[in-house]
Amino acid sequence: MTSDANGTKVEIPRIISVDDHVMEPADLFEGRLPRKFQETAPRVHRGKITKITRVSGQDWRVDFGEDGTLGDYWMYEGVPIPLKRINASAGLPLDLRENVPVTFGDVRPGCYDMTARLADMDMNHMEASLCFPTMPRFCGQTFAEGKDKELGLACIQAYNDWMFEEWCGPSGGRLIPLGLVPLWDAELAAAEVRRNAERGFTAVAFCEIPAFLGLPSIHSGHWEPFFRACHETKTVVCMHVGSSSKMPATSKDAPAAVGISLSFNNAMASLADYIFSGLLIRYPDLKLAYSESQIGWIPYALMRMDDVWNQHRAWIGLGDSIPEPPSTYYYRQVYGCFFRDDVGIRAIEQVGVDNATFEVDYPHTDSTWPDTKQLAEEHFAHLPQDVIYKIVRGNAIKMLRLDLDTDLDDSGRPLPILGR
């Protein structure tokens, strides 16, 4: 506990992280696929890896050799997908968070084991967590890029079943299910959203900018079945940075630091896409979450979009399609997600005290585990307690429709008990 500028004690309620990651266990697909896929099912192998090279976004090339480091890797349709320390580095010194191969035995069990994850959450003042995939990539690009789409669909359904039955089911509600969909077919994607919603999923992983994956844009009308299903089931569309498999870069030979520093650009472009597409108007119950995008960019993006709407609508063809300023729809239907963002916190009123959610990013290189509570105390020391509550857990409860804090009001204060 720390004190704000007035000496008032700041309390950090138990954290609900809207962006963590799970490293899928090696037996995930065993017994979960039809018999005809027995030979082609994704499997974990172990080999000596000499080099892992980032091609673009979350696409990597793997080189093998006798002088390499022993590492585990998934094999899917002949493509190796290695376990990397950068995806399982929570708690390691910063200088050891390298892009090198690892085995399951090299990493914290909390990366892939549900019971160990809950213990790591307890160490970090966390109550609940929403986890993005690793082997399938942030929104299932691995299966979308595969040739056998029937196998891909079976793998997605198997992943969702595992997520619900084994990762989240025994956790007592502390691990929140996040579904995948077949990106290559909007009707199948809608069906999977509905299948998952019926059993309690409230969120689905999707791509920030589908066109970057070679898919139809959200302006094309192609995705209407998917968005309609999310709207009708109140399933939140969660878009992680990197879900476009393409990071912003200034040139092909720009260092990785350039793309990582600019990663929020995809989220900003995506937000403009959604707002000016009219989707948020057609589907007023559709909610979007920009995972790991940070929030400091949001006030400028909203100001610029509102200015464009006001100054240029006569010639850019908006007509009556966007009847209110773009920021209206952001504040109504969009959530930003962050782990460290002093700029965003200083502008929290413009970001929206009801639109900001908090994350831990366990077990990735950006993770604040196991010091997230201390960081939050320092980060939020100047904020009112009711705003802290909203950022740390209240907005996540609202966004994901969690059955938590039902005896508290929107400021995190106990509701009055009738008759007392």
Side-chain angles (χ1 to χ4, degrees), residues 145-159:
E145 293 168 1
K147 295 179 181 178
D148 188 339
K149 293 302 190 285
E150 187 180 5
L151 170 63
L153 177 60
C155 287
I156 284 171
Q157 292 177 334
Y159 176 92

Side-chain angles (χ1 to χ4, degrees), residues 14 43 68 74 107 128 207 210 254 285 319 361 387:
R14 288 186 76 192
R43 285 185 175 83
W74 288 91
V107 304
C207 172
D285 286 330
D361 198 29
V387 174

Side-chain angles (χ1 to χ4, degrees), residues 41 55 62 86 107 123 154 167 169 199 245 257 276 281 291 296 350 359 375 389 392 396:
V55 178
V62 184
I86 58 173
V107 304
M123 290 174 58
W167 183 248
R199 51 183 174 170
S245 296
F276 289 117
I281 299 164
S291 307
Q350 289 72 40
E359 58 187 59
L375 180 145
Y389 168 81
V392 171

Side-chain angles (χ1 to χ4, degrees), residues 18-98:
V18 297
D19 169 35
D20 294 309
H21 302 266
V22 58
M23 180 178 282
E24 297 80 14
D27 62 354
L28 186 154
F29 295 100
E30 292 181 9
R32 292 190 177 274
L33 294 176
R35 290 178 60 86
K36 64 180 178 179
F37 297 127
Q38 184 173 348
E39 298 300 320
T40 54
R43 285 185 175 83
V44 171
H45 301 262
R46 180 166 292 181
K48 292 185 176 181
I49 299 173
T50 57
K51 191 175 183 181
I52 302 173
T53 307
R54 187 174 70 92
V55 178
S56 65
Q58 291 299 308
D59 188 14
W60 305 85
R61 187 182 73 241
V62 184
D63 296 318
F64 295 87
E66 283 303 314
D67 59 341
T69 302
L70 205 62
D72 290 336
Y73 59 95
W74 288 91
M75 185 66 79
Y76 183 70
E77 289 199 344
V79 178
I81 306 168
L83 275 61
K84 305 185 292 292
R85 189 185 292 168
I86 58 173
N87 288 341
S89 59
L92 290 177
L94 293 178
D95 288 343
L96 293 181
R97 301 184 184 189
E98 301 171 295

Side-chain angles (χ1 to χ4, degrees), residues 66-233:
E66 283 303 314
D67 59 341
T69 302
L70 205 62
D72 290 336
Y73 59 95
W74 288 91
M75 185 66 79
Y76 183 70
E77 289 199 344
V79 178
I81 306 168
L83 275 61
K84 305 185 292 292
R85 189 185 292 168
I86 58 173
N87 288 341
S89 59
L92 290 177
L94 293 178
D95 288 343
L96 293 181
R97 301 184 184 189
E98 301 171 295
N99 182 32
V100 295
V102 292
T103 68
F104 278 98
D106 295 331
V107 304
R108 292 188 67 85
C111 295
Y112 57 85
D113 179 81
M114 182 271 298
T115 302
R117 174 62 66 92
L118 295 180
D120 280 356
M121 290 166 59
D122 287 338
M123 290 174 58
N124 199 40
H125 196 60
M126 294 170 63
E127 179 168 9
S129 167
L130 182 77
C131 294
F132 283 82
T134 301
M135 176 267 183
R137 313 227 298 274
F138 291 136
C139 63
Q141 300 104 300
T142 294
F143 304 124
E145 293 168 1
K147 295 179 181 178
D148 188 339
K149 293 302 190 285
E150 187 180 5
L151 170 63
L153 177 60
C155 287
I156 284 171
Q157 292 177 334
Y159 176 92
N160 290 337
D161 292 345
W162 168 83
M163 167 68 64
F164 184 75
E165 296 166 5
E166 294 191 33
W167 183 248
C168 298
S171 74
R174 297 187 64 188
L175 294 172
I176 305 160
L178 175 69
L180 296 178
V181 294
L183 296 170
W184 58 90
D185 189 311
E187 293 285 357
L188 288 177
E192 190 63 10
V193 166
R194 296 183 190 282
R195 182 177 85 97
N196 288 331
E198 287 178 0
R199 51 183 174 170
F201 283 68
T202 59
V204 61
F206 193 61
C207 172
E208 296 166 309
I209 305 175
F212 283 178
L213 297 181
L215 300 169
S217 78
I218 66 166
H219 306 286
S220 66
H222 171 85
W223 297 102
E224 293 295 319
F226 168 73
F227 290 123
R228 187 180 308 113
C230 294
H231 161 79
E232 292 175 354
T233 61

Side-chain angles (χ1 to χ4, degrees), residues 222-301:
H222 171 85
W223 297 102
E224 293 295 319
F226 168 73
F227 290 123
R228 187 180 308 113
C230 294
H231 161 79
E232 292 175 354
T233 61
K234 293 181 170 57
T235 298
V236 182
V237 179
C238 297
M239 295 171 285
H240 198 285
V241 291
S243 58
S244 300
S245 296
K246 180 179 179 181
M247 300 293 273
T250 53
S251 63
K252 290 184 178 180
D253 57 352
V258 173
I260 295 170
S261 299
L262 298 176
S263 60
F264 73 92
N265 280 4
N266 279 353
M268 185 160 58
S270 176
L271 179 60
D273 247 0
Y274 275 91
I275 284 180
F276 289 117
S277 72
L279 278 165
L280 300 182
I281 299 164
R282 294 196 298 279
Y283 301 116
D285 286 330
L286 180 65
K287 299 293 191 295
L288 311 178
Y290 285 100
S291 307
E292 204 175 312
S293 67
Q294 310 309 314
I295 57 175
W297 56 272
I298 291 174
Y300 172 77

